[in-house]
Amino acid sequence: MNIERLVAMANDISNYFAAEPDHAMAVEGIRDHLTKFWDPVMRRQLKAHVTAGGDGLTPLAREAVERVVVSPN
Amino acid sequence: MLSIVDIDYGTPKSTSEKTVALQIDGRTLNVPEGTSVMRAAAQAGISIPKLCATDMLEAFGSCRLCLVEIEGRKGYPASCTTPVTAGMKVSTQTPKLAEIRRGVMELYISDHPLDCLTCPANGHCELQDMAGVVGLREVRYGYDGANHVYAETKQGEANPLFVAKDESNPYFTFDPSKCIACSRCVRACDEVQGTFALTIQGRGFESKVAASQDNRFLDSECVSCGACVQACPTATLSEKSLIDKGQAEHSVITTCAYCGVGCSFRAEMKGEEIVRMVPDKNGHANHGHSCVKGRFAIGYATHPDRITTPMIRAKISDPWKIVSWEVAFAHVANEFRRIQGNYGKHAIGGITSSRCTNEETYLVQKLVRAGFGNNNVDTCARVCHSPTGYGLKATMGESAGTQDFDSIEQTDVVLVIGANPTDAHPVFGSQMKQRLRAGARLIVIDPRRIDLVRTPHIKADYHLKLKPGTNVAMLNSLAHVIVTEGLVDEAFVAQRCEPEAFTKWRAFVAQEKCSPEAMAAQTGVPAEAVRGAARLYATGGNGAIYYGLGVTEHAQGSTAVMGIANLAMATGNIGREGVGVNPLRGQNNVQGSCDMGSFPHEFPGYRHVGDVATRELFEKAWGVPLLDEPGLRIPNMFEAALDGSFKGLYIEGEDIAQSDPDTQHVTAALSAMECIVVQDLFLNETAKYAHVFLPGSSFLEKDGTFTNAERRVSRVRKVMAPKAGYADWEITQELARAMGYPMNYSHASEIMDEIARLTPTFHGVSFDTIDRLGSIQWPCNEDHPEGTRVMHVDEFVRGKGRFMLTEYVPTSEKVNAEHPLILTTGRILSQYNVGAQTRRTANVMWHDEDRLEIHPHDAEERGINENDWVGIASRAGDTVLRAMISERMQPGVVYTTFHFPGSGANVITTENSDWATNCPEYKVTAVQVTRVSQPSEWQKRFRTFSNEQQALLDQSVDTLGQP
């Protein structure tokens, strides 16, 4: 899928959780949201994007995506 | 004319719990205090003659037929306006009463045409009935005197009292010559509908009913709800369908297939033909009222555009081939299996319909999860109320509104945000107006001056006319005032909500950056008005919030829903009558389609696919392994189609090519797929990109249930055979069988039985229970055997209520030099959603094109006059509409509806979406508006493409060998 779109969507999620004063909770909130609502294909692609540098992602989103667990296929 | 079967008790039911004993005609009766003598008699089966009384309206006491004698009282009081008192002794039939009534009827009939045999009300005319009841045998006055009946006098001169029949309204006629000036129509318009379009003009014998300033009905303020037609005791106001077809011989109670109010109707039938739709007085959502759509706009169901045979084609540039159902099912099964073989199991998916029944929706998601073997199922709630599901679940624990509609009767402060109930939920809008006229206070938060802000006998206490896209800023400001001015219901919060989350939230909204003063620059609303509104909501008694798509269809839709829930919890406005958080759902079965597991991450009953116990329950019931990972949402499906990984889509009753944002993106995605199957009534915009068309059935052609905005599950009953042979659930079942996944339901009720078995909130729901109770609000189970009117009463569904942080994050869709205006979109009363139904009815007489509403200042700056063609361009696309100059708008904001496909409203809207659910940001698009002289390039292409597709339909090849 269009990676810019996935990055924008992940950033939107991180912008919501940015209000959470507890950093660990914010990261977990994003990770949990991506896991519960995103198709594994999208998570896999976003994770690969982070591995490749994660251009465009907010630091918070990047941190959460790193913690996302997704099966390799 | 009233319904052909209902008993009319003459005056409304009293709600008093105290009873009063009295005697009527020697019989001792016990009735609630406040009951009229007329109603007390009627409940005991004693009919007192009447003309101006009907139980939908307050007593009026004008016709003088219902007079009675009461022991110890002088004269002959009207039974409709006389309340019962203890020990009262009433006689309804005495020689003197008979004489008076006969005299009254003699006067009525002396000014009434004697054409009963050819009159449409014949047999159900209350005037005719009363003439019979009182024993009228002669009219001593003759018929030659002053009258309203004849166009000419005996002398051949024009009769100044005569008014010709008004046939301007497409659905009913107004024949003043038959009018008895009982005022029932006027009162129905005032009391029930609340439009105040009708009046009695003139005095004495010159009194006559007039619409607005003596206009034709169509040119008046009349909104064609039909309450007056239903209330009319004679044929003065008659449905044209009744005039054409004659009276019905049976009636069937069913549920309207338009908006989320879910009105109950009696379909009055002659065999399999509908004579008229009459709202059901016993309907729990609508109490006998309706709007122009539900009552009148049903002609689409029998429109010649209906496609009634399956069709297939290899490419969308080919003519359609008409095929048998068997061929169509086999073709779809082969194509879907081929695609899965070539591209993988996940390369296909389905879209369930918010217009189809619960049972049909349930089957489509079952087919996808169990038959396709993936979770690629979604529904159009994605693009309307998905943030409601997310936001209310997160805060309160259940993805649904908290009240029933009648709860508003106990409301003191109504807060409407991002909803336009008088247009989009008109019957509930009327109920809301009744409550407001009775004294409830009103806060409206909306960028436009919607009708509710100022309407007869109603004026909003506060209209916070905010800039589009700033709901969260506004909700935070309201919360700030409540927290910092000590208006929190501390006891409620301490007892009912999570303390840590509340503490965090209190600190968050108390920050100066959330204050109305700090946010005024964002919202455009003066801080003092925000403070006043917050104080009123928090301290004005029972506060109830009603919201719609103006809340959800934003980049922060889910945040705003949580902000609303926060407000209700902070002020203790949850868990009892008169309060609550009430999402007004768009389509008839949005609530139901969400309940039925249409979302890619949830099984029916909002249970995540990752939940092991739930998944095992469904695996056991459905006999196949199920996936534990969410599937693709609708916008994800488009993205996947464009990258070549998603190739096949089964769409039941949705028109994504018109209703979804960024049309050109959608049609590019559709064009990239190999097998699109559309199941619908009409060759809609999406079907023009389809390879298979499966003809669906209208709500009149099948059994099932719809669930309205109140969580109310009501029956849809079949009144005619499906035009194409199958109900939609049967089509899905056959498709599943063809794909090798057996389904064996013989009736829709068996599907509901399965839903009930597998879904805790539906355990007690069955067709039999609904038939017995009329309708049921879920949760309905062992704990709530007759359903649940108000939710979260003693505790929240999730246990403790959870305050959520709601940081205002301005949308990335910003005005700039190139796109200096904000476009926001919405609906109007006479049309419904993509218009596929209402455009095929006479409702186009009220709205036959989508217009661009623009403030006079913005129009003047651009040299735009009323009716000019204007181009509207965003970064996504451009289109051309005619301008309507309107002070409802604020400068800088323009507005349009999306009911006509050629308007291309969604060519302009962008891919921006809610952070949590991907619900599109329909309500905020930066645009430029300019005067133009021709349609946009997109519109030209659209017209060419539509013409080509119509030609391909016309050239369709019948492989069945039928003429």
Side-chain angles (χ1 to χ4, degrees):
Chain A
M1 288 187 208
N2 180 343
I3 190 66
E4 283 93 29
R5 187 75 202 114
L6 294 184
V7 166
M9 283 158 53
N11 286 346
D12 286 347
I13 296 168
S14 82
N15 286 340
Y16 170 76
F17 285 98
E20 172 57 56
D22 181 334
H23 181 74
M25 277 180 77
V27 173
E28 172 53 22
I30 301 166
R31 189 206 63 79
D32 181 61
H33 191 92
L34 291 170
T35 307
K36 275 195 179 135
F37 298 101
W38 279 33
D39 184 284
V41 175
M42 295 157 64
R43 293 187 338 243
R44 218 171 281 139
Q45 207 180 332
L46 196 60
K47 247 184 118 67
H49 179 69
V50 167
T51 312
D55 269 8
L57 278 172
T58 65
L60 189 59
R62 184 193 304 235
E63 201 180 333
V65 175
E66 280 165 359
R67 284 171 170 70
V68 165
V69 178
V70 59
S71 67
N73 51 50
Chain B
M1 193 172 101
L2 300 175
S3 121
I4 57 172
V5 290
D6 278 334
I7 296 168
D8 185 359
Y9 295 96
T11 63
K13 191 176 184 176
S14 164
T15 52
S16 173
E17 282 168 15
K18 201 172 152 196
T19 60
V20 168
L22 77 162
Q23 268 191 22
I24 300 181
D25 293 345
R27 290 166 61 183
T28 301
L29 309 172
N30 283 291
V31 297
E33 192 176 50
T35 304
S36 68
V37 169
M38 173 180 281
R39 186 171 180 112
Q43 286 177 180
I46 300 166
S47 297
I48 300 174
K50 63 181 175 57
L51 279 172
C52 73
T54 183
D55 56 17
M56 288 282 290
L57 305 172
E58 293 300 323
F60 195 54
S62 84
C63 74
R64 315 313 295 166
L65 262 194
C66 74
L67 310 184
V68 291
E69 292 189 54
I70 299 174
E71 198 176 284
R73 292 202 195 179
K74 281 187 194 162
Y76 307 94
S79 63
C80 63
T81 53
T82 307
V84 295
T85 55
M88 181 184 253
K89 287 184 180 165
V90 180
S91 298
T92 71
Q93 303 290 350
T94 67
K96 184 64 192 168
L97 290 172
E99 186 189 331
I100 297 171
R101 288 174 185 156
R102 210 174 289 132
V104 169
M105 281 309 294
E106 200 175 348
L107 285 163
Y108 272 121
I109 299 301
S110 71
D111 186 25
H112 194 84
L114 300 177
D115 60 353
C116 293
L117 290 180
T118 53
C119 176
N122 186 22
H124 284 292
C125 171
E126 295 180 46
L127 187 70
Q128 189 183 43
D129 293 348
M130 289 307 110
V133 162
V134 305
L136 184 70
R137 296 292 173 259
E138 60 172 347
V139 175
R140 289 164 294 172
Y141 312 107
Y143 303 96
D144 298 339
N147 66 76
H148 300 82
V149 179
Y150 306 107
E152 290 183 353
T153 62
K154 270 263 153 96
Q155 292 72 39
E157 291 162 5
N159 175 1
L161 289 171
F162 177 82
V163 179
K165 198 169 175 178
D166 175 359
E167 299 186 283
S168 61
N169 184 292
Y171 298 118
F172 61 84
T173 63
F174 172 56
D175 183 353
S177 74
K178 293 179 189 286
C179 180
I180 59 169
C182 66
S183 296
R184 273 163 59 164
C185 55
V186 177
R187 289 179 287 138
C189 192
D190 296 356
E191 294 173 23
V192 180
Q193 166 57 28
T195 294
F196 294 80
L198 304 181
T199 191
I200 297 281
Q201 178 175 302
R203 300 172 69 177
F205 195 64
E206 288 176 358
S207 302
K208 65 164 192 171
V209 171
S212 292
Q213 281 72 48
D214 215 1
N215 297 109
R216 297 191 315 161
F217 264 75
L218 191 66
D219 306 329
S220 74
E221 289 142 313
C222 165
V223 293
S224 197
C225 71
C228 57
V229 181
Q230 187 178 339
C232 182
T234 70
T236 308
L237 287 155
S238 283
E239 292 93 345
K240 286 183 176 172
S241 60
L242 176 73
I243 296 172
D244 288 346
K245 293 172 185 169
Q247 286 166 6
E249 40 79 23
H250 75 278
S251 77
V252 179
I253 292 180
T254 191
T255 304
C256 180
Y258 283 116
C259 77
V261 176
C263 294
S264 176
F265 275 91
R266 279 185 185 280
E268 292 197 349
M269 308 291 301
K270 268 190 153 167
E272 288 205 329
E273 189 181 28
I274 292 183
V275 174
R276 55 180 201 148
M277 298 290 274
V278 183
D280 175 17
K281 278 203 298 198
N282 299 315
H284 296 139
N286 59 318
H287 307 293
H289 191 40
S290 77
C291 77
V292 61
K293 295 190 285 285
R295 190 193 298 262
F296 293 126
I298 51 164
Y300 71 87
T302 49
H303 194 278
D305 285 354
R306 278 280 301 265
I307 294 175
T308 55
T309 49
M311 306 188 298
I312 61 175
R313 58 183 177 180
K315 301 193 299 291
I316 67 163
S317 53
D318 290 344
W320 288 98
K321 266 199 294 190
I322 294 171
V323 296
S324 68
W325 279 107
E326 292 69 28
V327 169
F329 292 136
H331 178 78
V332 176
N334 287 340
E335 279 295 282
F336 279 176
R337 288 302 183 214
R338 176 186 68 77
I339 289 171
Q340 287 190 304
N342 289 352
Y343 303 97
K345 187 166 75 170
H346 298 278
I348 60 172
I351 298 181
T352 73
S353 176
S354 296
R355 294 180 203 153
C356 283
T357 63
N358 285 317
E359 293 73 15
E360 289 164 342
T361 306
Y362 174 85
L363 274 208
V364 172
Q365 62 90 34
K366 179 175 176 178
L367 169 65
V368 172
R369 297 187 202 281
F372 294 1
N374 62 43
N375 283 327
N376 294 334
V377 60
D378 208 355
T379 186
C380 76
R382 174 66 53 214
V383 302
C384 70
H385 264 291
S386 52
T388 289
Y390 182 89
L392 297 186
K393 179 112 181 171
T395 47
M396 300 194 285
E398 192 59 276
S399 301
T402 62
Q403 312 295 116
D404 62 2
F405 290 140
D406 285 353
S407 162
I408 200 168
E409 305 299 336
Q410 308 301 322
T411 299
D412 301 305
V413 180
V414 176
L415 194 165
V416 177
I417 171 167
N420 185 6
T422 55
D423 276 82
H425 303 89
V427 170
F428 177 65
S430 286
Q431 188 175 14
M432 182 182 279
K433 288 197 288 183
Q434 286 171 17
R435 181 64 202 138
L436 293 168
R437 289 198 303 276
R441 311 281 296 273
L442 173 65
I443 301 164
V444 174
I445 305 178
D446 201 291
R448 284 199 317 148
R449 196 190 67 224
I450 56 171
D451 282 351
L452 206 54
V453 171
R454 192 82 176 90
T455 191
H457 304 287
I458 292 169
K459 185 172 183 297
D461 294 85
Y462 294 96
H463 176 202
L464 309 182
K465 203 170 181 177
L466 79 182
K467 291 181 189 162
T470 63
N471 284 332
V472 172
M474 176 58 71
L475 290 162
N476 286 348
S477 290
L478 293 166
H480 177 90
V481 177
I482 288 165
V483 161
T484 57
E485 295 192 6
L487 308 178
V488 169
D489 183 341
E490 301 284 355
F492 180 90
V493 171
Q495 192 196 340
R496 300 283 308 271
C497 302
E498 284 182 4
E500 305 80 21
F502 174 69
T503 307
K504 209 183 264 185
W505 176 79
R506 183 197 287 255
F508 166 73
V509 295
Q511 296 172 89
E512 184 52 33
K513 68 173 186 182
C514 292
S515 70
E517 290 73 14
M519 284 296 182
Q522 300 284 342
T523 62
V525 179
E528 212 36 51
V530 179
R531 288 192 177 270
R535 289 169 195 146
L536 176 58
Y537 172 70
T539 64
N542 285 341
I545 304 179
Y546 294 88
Y547 74 90
L549 305 181
V551 163
T552 56
E553 290 175 346
H554 286 277
Q556 283 202 285
S558 293
T559 316
V561 172
M562 293 188 284
I564 286 171
N566 290 341
L567 281 186
M569 292 191 295
T571 53
N573 278 313
I574 281 286
R576 62 178 192 276
E577 286 275 292
V579 299
V581 174
N582 304 274
L584 297 172
R585 304 289 185 151
Q587 302 197 55
N588 51 327
N589 204 35
V590 171
Q591 181 71 54
S593 73
C594 298
D595 301 342
M596 291 300 112
S598 293
F599 290 139
H601 66 284
E602 280 173 343
F603 289 118
Y606 304 100
R607 290 166 292 168
H608 198 272
V609 291
D611 180 69
V612 176
T614 306
R615 199 171 60 253
E616 284 176 359
L617 176 75
F618 281 96
E619 285 178 337
K620 198 167 161 227
W622 295 351
V624 287
L626 298 169
L627 284 188
D628 61 353
E629 287 275 20
L632 298 169
R633 297 167 171 179
I634 293 173
N636 307 150
M637 292 178 191
F638 298 151
E639 293 289 332
L642 287 168
D643 80 7
S645 61
F646 191 76
K647 293 288 186 181
L649 187 55
Y650 171 42
I651 306 168
E652 180 189 64
E654 288 299 338
D655 195 0
I656 49 179
Q658 187 183 342
S659 63
D660 284 35
D662 198 356
T663 306
Q664 297 179 91
H665 183 73
V666 175
T667 53
L670 293 173
S671 306
M673 288 191 234
E674 293 181 3
C675 183
I676 293 175
V677 180
V678 168
Q679 182 172 319
D680 209 287
L681 303 181
F682 304 104
L683 193 81
N684 61 19
E685 299 312 309
T686 311
K688 292 171 185 167
Y689 293 88
H691 308 88
V692 178
F693 186 91
L694 302 175
S697 49
S698 81
F699 77 113
L700 301 165
E701 298 162 18
K702 58 198 180 189
D703 283 302
T705 56
F706 290 151
T707 307
N708 77 350
E710 311 163 279
R711 300 169 271 108
R712 185 182 301 288
V713 187
S714 302
R715 274 296 309 277
V716 176
R717 293 186 176 86
K718 181 175 166 180
V719 300
M720 59 179 72
K723 300 251 175 271
Y726 283 125
D728 290 273
W729 65 266
E730 293 175 299
I731 298 172
T732 307
Q733 168 159 294
E734 292 298 332
L735 204 51
R737 286 174 177 165
M739 290 193 70
Y741 180 75
M743 290 186 185
N744 293 298
Y745 307 99
S746 60
H747 189 266
S749 63
E750 296 171 11
I751 307 174
M752 180 49 86
D753 292 342
E754 179 175 316
I755 295 164
R757 203 165 59 243
L758 297 171
T759 313
T761 44
F762 275 70
H763 277 340
V765 178
S766 70
F767 280 28
D768 285 345
T769 325
I770 301 172
D771 288 347
R772 180 166 58 81
L773 298 173
S775 67
I776 299 174
Q777 285 181 274
W778 67 260
C780 173
N781 46 33
E782 301 73 19
D783 298 336
H784 309 279
E786 302 212 331
T788 309
R789 287 185 60 204
V790 177
M791 293 192 76
H792 314 296
V793 173
D794 295 316
E795 64 170 358
F796 284 96
V797 171
R798 69 184 303 280
K800 296 274 189 192
R802 183 173 171 214
F803 283 84
M804 300 292 286
L805 298 183
T806 53
E807 182 86 70
Y808 170 58
V809 181
T811 170
S812 60
E813 186 68 15
K814 290 186 169 58
V815 294
N816 52 33
E818 198 183 346
H819 300 120
L821 302 172
I822 290 288
L823 170 78
T824 185
T825 62
R827 296 150 199 258
I828 60 140
L829 172 66
S830 55
Q831 297 287 348
Y832 177 69
N833 203 271
V834 293
Q837 293 142 288
T838 43
R839 278 185 280 114
R840 291 182 171 92
T841 69
N843 277 27
V844 292
M845 291 179 77
W846 287 276
H847 182 89
D848 61 358
E849 63 175 300
D850 297 316
R851 300 281 211 103
L852 185 84
E853 282 190 47
I854 183 168
H855 188 272
H857 174 78
D858 293 328
E860 193 186 350
E861 258 189 351
R862 291 166 175 76
I864 294 167
N865 297 307
E866 182 83 7
N867 293 332
D868 279 354
W869 290 104
V870 291
I872 307 122
S874 74
R875 62 187 172 84
D878 62 309
T879 194
V880 171
L881 298 170
R882 281 199 300 150
M884 178 193 279
I885 315 264
S886 162
E887 291 196 357
R888 280 169 180 264
M889 306 309 303
Q890 48 180 294
V893 180
V894 293
Y895 171 86
T896 190
T897 49
F898 62 101
H899 303 300
F900 288 80
S903 304
N906 280 323
V907 175
I908 313 165
T909 53
T910 70
E911 79 290 351
N912 271 22
S913 67
D914 173 47
W915 65 269
T917 68
N918 285 144
C919 179
E921 190 183 33
Y922 286 115
K923 302 292 185 183
V924 185
T925 310
V927 296
Q928 178 56 294
V929 174
T930 46
R931 258 183 81 171
V932 296
S933 55
Q934 57 174 344
S936 75
E937 288 307 312
W938 178 84
Q939 281 169 315
K940 288 179 197 164
R941 288 199 304 276
F942 170 81
R943 272 176 214 170
T944 308
F945 179 69
S946 291
N947 290 340
E948 283 165 7
Q949 287 299 319
Q950 186 58 46
L952 294 173
L953 180 65
D954 296 341
Q955 295 159 24
S956 55
V957 181
D958 189 348
T959 64
L960 300 175
Q962 290 164 354

